[in-house]
Structures are given as structure tokens and as C-alpha cells.
Amino acid sequence: MSRNPSHLPSKRSPVRSLLRLRPYVRPVRVRLLASAAVATVASCVGLVIPLVLKEIVDGPVAHGDPGGVWWPAALVLLLGLAEAGLFGVRRWLVARPLAGVEASMRADLYRHLQRLPTSFHDRWASGQLLSRATSDLSVLRLFLVFPLVFLLVNAVTFVVGIVVLLSQDWLLGLVLLLPTAPLVVLCSYFETRYALAARKAQDQAGDLATVVEESVLGIRVIKSFGRHRSMARDFWRRSRELRTTELRKAELLADIWAVIMTLPEVAIGSALAIGATRVADGELTAGTLVAFLTTALALRWPVESLGWLLAYSNDAASAADRYFEVMDTPTTPDAPETGDTGDIADTGDTGDTADTADTGGTPMAADPPRSPRTPKAPAAPDGIRFEGVRFRYPDAPEGSPDLLTGVDLHIRSGETMALVGATGCGKTTLTALLPRLYEATGGRITLDGVDIAELPRHRLRKLVAVAFEEPTLFSATVRENVAMGAPGAGEAALHKALTTSQADFAHGLPQGLDTEVGEQGLSLSGGQRQRLALARAVVGQPRFLVLDDPLSALDVHTEALVEGALRQVLATTTALVVAHRPSTVLLADRVALLSNGRISTVGTHHELLDSSPAYRELMSGERSPIR
Amino acid sequence: MTTVTEPPEEDGSALADGRPAQTVQAPEAPHREPARSPGTPPPAAPDDDTDEHPSPPGVSRALLGSLLRPHKWRTALAMGVILLQQAAVLAGPLLVAFAIDRAIPALRRDDSGPLIAVVCVYIVCALASGLLQALFIRVSARVSQDVLLDLRGRIFRHAQALSLDFHERYTSGRIIARATSDVDALRELLSEGLEELIQVALSAVYISVVLLALDWELGAAAAASFVPLYFIARSFRRRTREVYRRTRTAVASVIVRFTETMNGIRPVQAFRREEANDKEFHRLNSAYRRANGDSALEMARFVVSARTMANAVIAAILVWGAYRVADGGLELGVMAAFVLYLRRLYDPVDRLGMFLNSYQSAAAALDKIAALLANRPAVPEPRQPVPLPAPQGEEPGREVVFDGVRFAYREGVEVLPRFDLKIPAGQTVAVVGATGAGKSTLAKLLVRFYDPTGGRVRLDGVDLRDLETPELRRGVVMVTQESFLFSGTVAENIAVGRPDATREQVEEAARAIGAFDFIAALPEGFDTDVRKRGGRISAGQRQLVAFARALLADPAVLILDEATSSLDIPGERAVQRAMHTVLAGRTAVIVAHRLSTVEIADRVLVMDAGRIVEDGRPAELIGGTGRFATLHRAWRDSLV
């Protein structure tokens, strides 16, 4: 049960993954660099303090002149204040900008995900997407705040510290340098193993989020079957897997810590032995030894921090990988917004002004070249035309036949066509091609003579309104939910749509049309949701209307009322209605029967009842006798 | 030896923190039902993640305590290890002082013994500090991972145990936020923050002791410097508490919006909601950004004040120490050790801030989690479960009795006035009526999604409230209108009905309901992954899968709540044919707006405004002049 389609072991180097953050860091690079510079200075100021200390020990203290301690002590105080101030400045510099980087990465992810094709969302569990938008991005923010800066700062501090040590006494300095080489080797060995574990842990956390999400969204099924215990077991198993990976990470960390703490200390111990001997021999002053050891101890933090800085950077690198995996998925290219696709009569659209500025999310620098236009539409609108439309899902197994193998269908302008066919034959898929939720893999679909592939999606979707099989309401008011079918629709249009779909119950809600519905609001029954979704589809008096089994959740009485009102709407639009029952079919002028990936017959209800045994079977449920 | 245990067998999440489940501490917020409740007030908090139950102070600390308690020995071990480790680490400066004050003079007397001893001890300490550190990381990682495992499990089980009205109120996004983002905050505290705190606190104690031992006057001065540091830390904590509370709330709002969009991506795209959503998301995201920025700024303040304080203390002690050395009252090595220790003492002040940060963040998250866990299930498990009596005779069906049952929402809107109803074992009852008549509520009482406000629902004489969940689900199973599919294969989804079913049984159930053919035609047959929420399986097919699930569960009482709405006519006919055999001998309640389903019923109940207004055999009612006869005529007319 893989929930994440791309469990590829990350072969990319962590550095390259992290470099991809550049575009997001660029706007704040000045502050980030300034912060790094300030931190480096502050850190080096900390290194100067032991030198002053040396002056105090070797000077006033050794000579029994306590009065002479004041100036150096003042210097220590000054340096200390500078250090404190600088560290504060460094944090202040990046506090807001880096929170901004995280936010803009999240906004971009959200924006991108909204525009990715539906087939992408079919493949990706939303828990995996969510964990990228939250946990992974906060890892990246914290990485920019601390580890990134301190990898640099600590490296510089280390180098400066070593120079100071060497300049004080080259022999002792060299002793301290000795463990560097083994440390580098061990760290890089550790790094590769840790990176794999880090990635695994993040993926497992994403899977866990998916289980949580499904357990909440499917709570009714779980409760109906008393399955919460087996769900809990599944969750338990997955969280144990995550725990195992986290423990693996901890073991790797423990090992590297042991090395990072021990090696430098052993070197300091050796330096102490050599230094003490040389002080005894009079080759070295006591003050130099004190200063040397103070400096060496001050360098411990930069070295020790290496372990978790590397670990954190690896976490961040795989978080970046996970982020860009999604961001790299291309959105389907959109037709240019040429602005003169107006040969399609845009009859009922009331909210044009709100949308004209949109370019479908991909800003375009200059006016793109005009695509070759289809022949001008005939003066009389042509309606919807499917010509040899083929479709297969991008992830369909090889060798399996296409779902749609050449659909030819013409819905005349103003006509209502019912689409019928056996369960699972591709009716819903066919309707999803019209607003280009999926892209046809062959053939073409024209609206009033214009190929939909040449219409900008945004514009296309304004022309085509859809009521889905599953009525989804968003967390917003009734008014907003309905009006999203036609931004800017007036109150009158709204009321008319509600009346058409027999959704007048909305006026009786606690706050009337301003009642919050959807997940965060008042829960409505399936029938109520379906009627609001229908109102949403018809409110803009769309030129083209797609209704997917629009009356399934309604009781007989309501269904009859909706049918009556819907007829008036359908009279003015070109519509495709997926129908499961005769009552819905009767809304249509003609019926198209979809079977084996094609339209096998088109005709009126009664014609098909007479001529098509398959149709008769669909409508009556009785297997017709073989003739 | 692991202290991790399997999740408790009883549905004990409600009891996890030791409180009896029976204290049904009813949430104040209005209870709502998914179905029609036009009279109910809107939910308390639409957009932001404010809890209707701010948890009383101390609850989150009690939660943390209850999480750590099972691991107290391991925690003690970790403490012991870190005590030794810090001793080894902090021996360093002391050894340096010894080397300067004792070993060097000894060396000048040609006595290399002290130096060799000092260096050996130094290296042993170095090795010990590294190895003990590694041990500590392993032990503490175990503790913290087990705590997280426990906490995740508790949230998950508790959310599953809470009743439907809670889920309808709390929203899925917020539960997801609790189980992911909030747990993450605690993970950060446990895996990094706590270790920091222990090390910082321990080294402060050790260093103070050593300093006092070396020279009590200077030591006392150094120890006194902790007082201002404490106040700085305290004010930082106070200032950030509010900021972090805002952070947790903001991130939950972001999560809610995010999941809602991703789960409704089709309508989002079809209705061109992208721009509007971007704007709304920007608003929530900005609130989160501001909160994050605020907390980082507080951190900057803290670092400046704490470091300033620390460096001032060092300078002061330096001057004083120098005077004392010059007086001969203090040895040079002791003073060197002093300065080394002081630097080290104040070095981790940044890390202290980071700890306080993660503590604050985790505390805010724990508050939210504790508030979630404090919700008592409105439909609790029985304290003294009663088994169902052995079935009488061959038939699987059981008798259902509604005994003086009434149901009202908490705020008093009565949905079902008091009524009595007896359904003999093996009878198939259809419940019809207009939207809002109370059909679904009746079904939900029988499946015990809710408990009745008055009276009782009995299965073969046993009150549903006395049945444990597994026993209840062997008795009653419901197929609903929305047929949710979980990630996994089709076979796994059917097996939700009975997890231990064999493949043959799964296929048999699918065949019985007429779903076998379409499943077999899928790319990998029964092993086809349904992907995310069944993107490729049509609504009708999903309902067939849901039916197969119910068949497999083989319950005594089967409830179908508008479960055929998306089926086409052949599908519905196939289901009806299957029902003839499946329902034989079983008790069934069919809530339907399509009257075709009614034809297989032995008895029809017509409901209106919460009351049963007609009750009789279908043929009798159709032949009569009541509502059902009218409804039936209308339905007949709607057919071909």
C-alpha cells in the first residue's frame, strides 16, 4: 500500500537539493548574508576574549598589579557587550524575512497544487502533500535560521580559532588540528547514512498523516463496521515503523556525537600534556597556556555543533527534495489568453470583470504568438462536438485498452443530451474532459466550433459549469458557495438559482444565505448539498452545462420539483447530463449511449427503447430476451 | 526490554488518562446531526482553531506526566547517564587548574607523576563524555519515541472513539493538525529541547558546586548571577506563551484550509476557485508567518539580554579575581579555571533560549491535544458489557425494539418525539418519508451513532448501551449514502467488513452483490489500488463495494441508509436480487427515497416530522389512500 508514488531513494547530493532553495532565499539574501557576517564577527569577538585574558594573567596578575586589570577588564566587558548585541542583531535581521520565506514557499506549493491536473491528485495522498506544506517547510525555515548560518559561522570561527592557536604556539596548534581529518571522513560517512534515514522518516510521517486523514474522513464507515480497532492497529503499525526509523536516526546521531566529542577532547588532553611540560621548561608562559586552552575550549562548540548541523542540513535537504518533487510536476500547459475567443457567445456571464486579469497562474512576460485559429465558428452556434475523443488515465497499466476509444458526439446548440451507460463505462470521465479536468489523449472537443485545447482553461471553465456526482461544499457561506459558479452574480440570479434547484431551504437556515456551511459550518444532508451544488452550476446561466447524475440524492417529490424547474434552465443552455434513471433521461432532448469507449447509439428516449436492447436493459433493469 | 505495549484491547482511549468514561462531560457546543437541522445555531468558531474547551491549567502537564510515567525507569537511567556525562565533561577545566597549579611545579621538581595522572584522567574523561553522550542519546531517543508513539496512538484512538457529533463539530483538518503538527512540536521538545535543558541545568549545578568549592566568594558571586538570568528567562517565557498559542492556532487554520482544498480539487478547478483560494490561504498563511516572526524576534531579545548579562558577570568576576590573585588570596590556576567555567556556564544561553522556544511551542501544542483528549465520547463504551444472547433458531436475525425512545438535540430541538417500535427478528422494514422526517435519525439511533435522549433501543432485549463495540457490530451494521474508500486495494476495502475474511469470502460477497464483474475488469482485479479516495471508481461502483462490505460483515441487523442512490437501474436491480437472498432471515431497516427498494420490504413505515404516520405491508399501503399511496403513485409516474 504505497501512499506516495515517488519513494525514490534520494541519490541527489544534499548540497544540490539545498541549492534549489535559492529563488526563495534571493529576496532576503542581503539580510541573510548580513546576518551571517554579523554572526561571524560576533563569534570571532568571542575568540578575542581569551587573548585579553592572557594579557591580564601575564601582565597585572603576574606582576601583582591589580590596578592594571581595569582596562583589560573594561575591554572584556566591551567585547562581551558587542558579542551580545551582534548576536541579537543577527537574529533580528532574519526573524521576519525567514518566516516570510517559509510562508512564500507554502503559498507557492498551495498555488501549484491547485493548478496541477486532477490526475496528479488521484495519485498523491493528501496527507503526503500536507506534510510537505507543514512539517517539511518548518524544517526548511529552521534550517535557514540556524544551521545554514552556523555552518558558515562555525567554519570561519574554527579557521580563525586555529589561526589564533597556531600563532600562539604552532606545536600545540598542530596537535589540536590532528583529529580534523578523521572527523571529516567520519562525518561524511555518517551524512550519507543519515540522509537516507531522514528521508524515510519524512515519508513515513506523510503516510501517517494520510492514515489520520482517512480515519477522520471515513469515520462513518469505520463506526458503522466497528473497525476503529483495526484502523488503530494499522496506525499503530505505521507509527511503530516511524519510531524504528527515528531510533535508527538517533543511533547514527549517537555514534557521530561520540566521535565528535571524544576526538577533540583527546587532542586537548595531549595539548595539555605538551603545554604543561613546556611551561615547566620555561618555553611557554602560563598565560599563553591558559589562553590557548580557553581558545581551544571555545572552539569545542563549533566542532561539536557539526554533528547536529549536519544532521539538520540532511533533514532540510530531504525536506527540500520532497518539496520540489511536487513543485517539479509540471502543470498542463495552458492556451494563451488571447482575449478574442469571444466568438463563443458568453451569454449569461455576469462576473466578467472579476476574472479578466487572470492568466491561469502562469504569468506570461509578453504576448505569446497567436496560435493558428480554427476556422471561424459558423454564425449559428455549433454546440458541443466530440470528435474521435480518446482517453486513457496516465497511470493505466500498459496493454490495457483505452477507457474512451473514439467518442463522436454532437450536442446541438441549445440541446440537452443525456449520457447513459453501464456503471464504470467512463461517463463521468467523459464529462470531466469538457472542463479539461483531464486532458483528452486523442481527438478533439469543440465548443461552438472552438477547440477547447485552444481556450485558456480559466475561460473554458467559465463557459462550462459542472455539478459533480459528489456535491462538495466549501467552508463558506451558502451565498459564497452558490455564487462561486458566477462571481459577481446578483442577488436576483442567486435567488433564481436556489429556486431552480429547490434549495429554498437555505433561506430558512439560521443566518439565511449567510449561514456557514461545509466542513467547518453547518452540516447539511446529502440531498441538501446536492441541491446547493446544482444551484452553483446554474447560477451563472452558463453557456454549457454538465450535470453528473444531479438528482441522485433527492427524494421523489423533490426530484419532480427540481426537474420541472431545471427544464427551464436547460432550455437556454447546451447541456450534457449523466443519467442513471428514466426520470433524469426525460430531462434531455436526446440520449447517447456510451459503451465500450464509444457512443454506440444516439436518439430520443423512446427511439432507443425501441431499437436498443442495451438501453432497454439499462433503463428497466430487465435483461432483454435474445432476439 | 521495551515498555511499549500493544494498544489496549478494550476501547480504552477514553480511559487513557485514568478518568472513568462514564463521566459524560457533555460538550457545551450544540450537537448537530449531518442531516437537516435548520433550527440549530451555527458552529462556535468557523475559521480559527479556538477550542470551545480551553483546557484547565495543569491538564497538559498532567498529560505529559502520564506519558512519561511508564518510562520512569528509562528516564531515570537517562538522567543517571547524563549526570555522569556532565561530570566527565566538566572535569576538564578542573584538571587544567590542577595541571597549572600542581603538575607544572611538580614537573619543575622533575616529578612527572602528577602530569601523567592529570592527562590520563583528562583522556578518560574525554572518552567517557563521548560514550556516555552516545548512550544518553540512545536511551532518551527511546523514551521520547515511545512517548510520541503513545501520544499519537492516544490521539488517534480517542478521535476514533469520539462520537459523530464531535467529528461534525471539530472538523477533520483540526484533528489532523492535532495528530501531526502538534505532535511534531512535542517531538522537537523531546528530541532536542529536553536534552538541552538537562545539560544546561546540570552544568549550571555542577559548575556552581565546583566554583563554590574552588572559592566560595567568587562562587557565590557567580551563583548570584543566576538570579537575573532566571528573571530574563521567565519574562521571555511569559512573552512567548501568547505568541506560541497564536502559532499553533494559525498552523491549524492553514492545515484546515489546505486539506479542504486538496480533497475538493475537482470543484475547485471547475469553478475557478484557485485565485480566491490563494487569497484566503494568503491571509491564513500570513497570520502564521507573523506568529513565526514574532517568536523569532522574542528570541532575539532574549539572546541579547541574556548574553549581555553573562558577559558583564564575567568581566566583573575577572576584575575581582585579578585583585584577589594579586593579593595572593587566590591561586592563578583557580582563576583560570573560574574563567573557563564561566565561559562554559553562559555559553549555552542561546541553547537555553531554543529550549524555552520548543518548550513554549510544545506546551501550546499539548494544551490543544489535552483539550481534544478531554472530550468525552458522547456514546461511551459500557462499563459492564453484556453479551448478546445466543441466536434463537437457525436464522441470523435479531429482534429490535425501540422502547419509549425520544431524541432531541442538546439545545432541545426535538427530532423524534417519544415512540415505541418493535421489529421482529427477520423482518425487512422500509422507512420512507420526506427529507427531514427523521428517517436517518432513526437509523443512527439503531446503529448507535447517537444514544436516545430518553428510552432505550434494545437488540434481542439487550440495551445497545450495554454492548461492547465488537459485539454491537456483530449485531448491527449500516451502509450509508457516502461510501468512503480507504487507500489500499479493492479487496482490502471490502474486507473492512470482516478483516479476517479469506479472499474467497471477499469475492463471494462481491459476486453476491453484482460487483464482481466490474472489479474483475479493473487493471489488477481485486488487488487494484483504489488510490486516493477511489478517484477512479465511480460513485455507483463505490456503493457496490460498500454493499459487499456489509454482506461480508454478516450482521444480525442490516441498515441501509439511502445506500442505492448512485446506482443505475441494473445495479439497483442486482442489489435487490441479492437482497432477497442476503436479507432472508436477517432483520433489515432500509431508509430509502427510491421506492423501488421498498418492494423487497415486508413492512413499510412512513415518517413525517419525526413521527411514524403509517405502518403496514407495502401492498396494503399502496392500495390505501394514505401518504404512501400518493408517494408510490408519484414514483410510478417517474418511471418509464
Side-chain angles (χ1 to χ4, degrees), chain A residues 96 214 243 470 475 520, chain B residues 46 146 260 294 487 496 542:
Chain A
R96 290 214 178 274
E214 290 195 343
R243 170 181 173 274
E470 265 170 84
S475 297
Q520 296 182 55
Chain B
D146 286 348
E260 188 176 85
D294 288 348
S487 313
V496 165
R542 276 207 291 279

Side-chain angles (χ1 to χ4, degrees), chain A residues 1 53 56-57 61 66 69-70 73 77 80-81 83-84 88 91 95-96 99-100 102-103 106 110-111 114-116 118 121-122 124 130 135 141 213-216 220-229 235-236 240 243 246 250 254-255 257 261-262 265 268-269 273 276-277 279 294 300 358 393 395 397 423-424 438 458 461-462 466 469-470 475 484 510-511 519-520 522-525 552-556 559 580-582 618-620 622, chain B residues 4-6 9 11 34 36 38 40 42-43 46 85 107-108 115 119 122 126-127 130 134 137-138 141 145-146 149 152 156 160-162 168 171-172 176 184 256 260-263 266 268-269 271-275 277-278 281 285 288-289 292 294 296 299 304 307-308 311-312 318-319 322-323 325 332 339-340 344 435 449 469 473 477-478 481 487-488 492 496-497 499 523 531-532 536 539 541-542 549 565-570 572-573 593-594:
Chain A
M1 283 212 275
L53 217 57
I56 296 177
V57 172
V61 174
V69 96
W70 281 104
L77 181 62
L81 294 183
E83 186 200 39
R91 282 182 177 275
R96 290 214 178 274
E102 182 197 4
R106 183 177 299 113
Y110 182 79
R111 176 188 300 277
Q114 282 203 84
R115 284 157 180 86
L116 278 172
T118 328
H121 289 276
D122 289 347
W124 282 73
L130 178 68
S135 329
R141 170 173 52 91
E213 197 180 327
E214 290 195 343
S215 78
V216 177
R220 281 179 191 79
V221 174
I222 294 169
K223 289 217 178 260
S224 311
F225 288 93
R227 278 295 151 260
H228 48 282
R229 201 157 301 148
F235 181 79
W236 173 260
R240 283 213 65 134
R243 170 181 173 274
E246 289 286 351
D255 292 350
W257 264 103
M261 287 193 82
T262 308
E265 280 293 285
I268 292 178
T277 318
V279 171
T294 317
R300 267 180 45 159
D358 176 68
Y393 282 103
D395 51 352
T423 298
Y438 294 101
H458 196 79
R461 289 172 185 168
K462 200 153 69 182
V466 192
E469 206 170 13
E470 265 170 84
S475 297
M484 65 180 62
Q511 269 88 46
E519 220 214 347
Q520 296 182 55
L522 195 65
S523 310
L524 300 174
S525 75
S552 64
L554 306 185
D555 60 55
V556 180
E559 185 178 351
H580 282 147
R581 333 180 152 268
L618 268 177
M619 285 299 116
S620 66
E622 312 298 343
Chain B
V4 182
T5 48
E6 278 289 312
E9 258 318 300
D11 189 39
R36 46 255 153 215
T40 47
Q85 194 261 350
L107 211 54
R108 288 195 176 121
L115 184 63
V119 169
Y122 197 99
L127 289 173
I137 291 178
R138 279 165 192 250
Q145 285 303 318
D146 286 348
L149 191 67
R152 284 197 183 103
F156 188 87
Q160 294 282 289
L162 285 169
E168 276 146 20
T171 77
S172 59
I176 296 165
D184 264 355
V256 167
E260 188 176 85
T261 306
M262 296 313 145
N263 288 326
R266 277 180 181 75
V268 162
Q269 293 191 342
F271 289 99
R272 317 182 302 283
R273 292 299 292 162
E274 295 96 333
E275 302 279 317
N277 278 345
D278 282 344
F281 192 74
N285 200 17
Y288 184 38
R289 187 197 64 208
N292 269 335
D294 288 348
M299 182 73 185
V304 172
R307 279 226 171 240
T308 305
N311 285 332
L318 199 61
V319 172
Y323 268 92
V325 173
L332 180 60
V339 176
L340 287 183
R344 177 166 290 193
T435 294
F449 279 1
T469 307
R473 290 301 163 242
V477 152
M478 173 151 104
Q481 191 175 19
S487 313
E492 283 167 340
V496 165
R531 313 282 174 197
K532 204 183 112 186
R536 292 299 153 68
Q541 291 171 332
R542 276 207 291 279
R549 245 179 219 163
S565 60
S566 292
L567 295 182
D568 56 14
I569 291 179
E572 199 175 325
R573 285 289 152 89
H593 53 241
R594 304 228 169 265

Side-chain angles (χ1 to χ4, degrees), chain A residues 11 16 65 84 128 153 174 185 232 241 285 297 299 335 378 431 478 487 498 501 528 569 577:
Chain A
K11 284 253 170 64
R16 195 171 311 160
D65 169 25
Q128 283 287 0
V153 170
L174 279 184
V185 172
E241 282 168 11
T285 64
L297 288 177
L299 286 184
T431 59
V478 171
L498 288 173
S501 62
Q528 288 173 321
V569 175
V577 181

Side-chain angles (χ1 to χ4, degrees), chain A residues 448-513:
Chain A
D448 284 352
V450 180
D451 192 337
I452 60 166
E454 288 175 17
L455 281 171
R457 261 194 297 276
H458 196 79
R459 197 168 167 72
L460 169 68
R461 289 172 185 168
K462 200 153 69 182
L463 290 168
V464 180
V466 192
F468 291 93
E469 206 170 13
E470 265 170 84
T472 308
L473 297 185
F474 295 97
S475 297
T477 62
V478 171
R479 185 189 307 279
E480 287 163 330
N481 263 296
V482 173
M484 65 180 62
E491 199 71 356
L494 208 64
H495 286 271
K496 186 152 173 266
L498 288 173
T499 309
T500 301
S501 62
Q502 299 298 314
D504 291 311
F505 69 88
H507 298 289
L509 295 177
Q511 269 88 46
L513 298 189

Side-chain angles (χ1 to χ4, degrees), chain A residues 16-69:
Chain A
R16 195 171 311 160
S17 306
L18 290 172
L19 277 179
R20 297 205 54 192
L21 298 175
R22 271 176 309 184
Y24 291 99
V25 175
R26 190 163 298 133
V28 300
R29 67 181 187 281
V30 176
R31 277 187 171 225
L32 196 61
L33 284 176
S35 143
V38 168
T40 314
V41 172
S43 194
C44 293
V45 165
L47 286 182
V48 178
I49 294 179
L51 295 184
V52 181
L53 217 57
K54 172 192 164 188
E55 289 308 314
I56 296 177
V57 172
D58 283 348
V61 174
H63 301 117
D65 169 25
V69 96

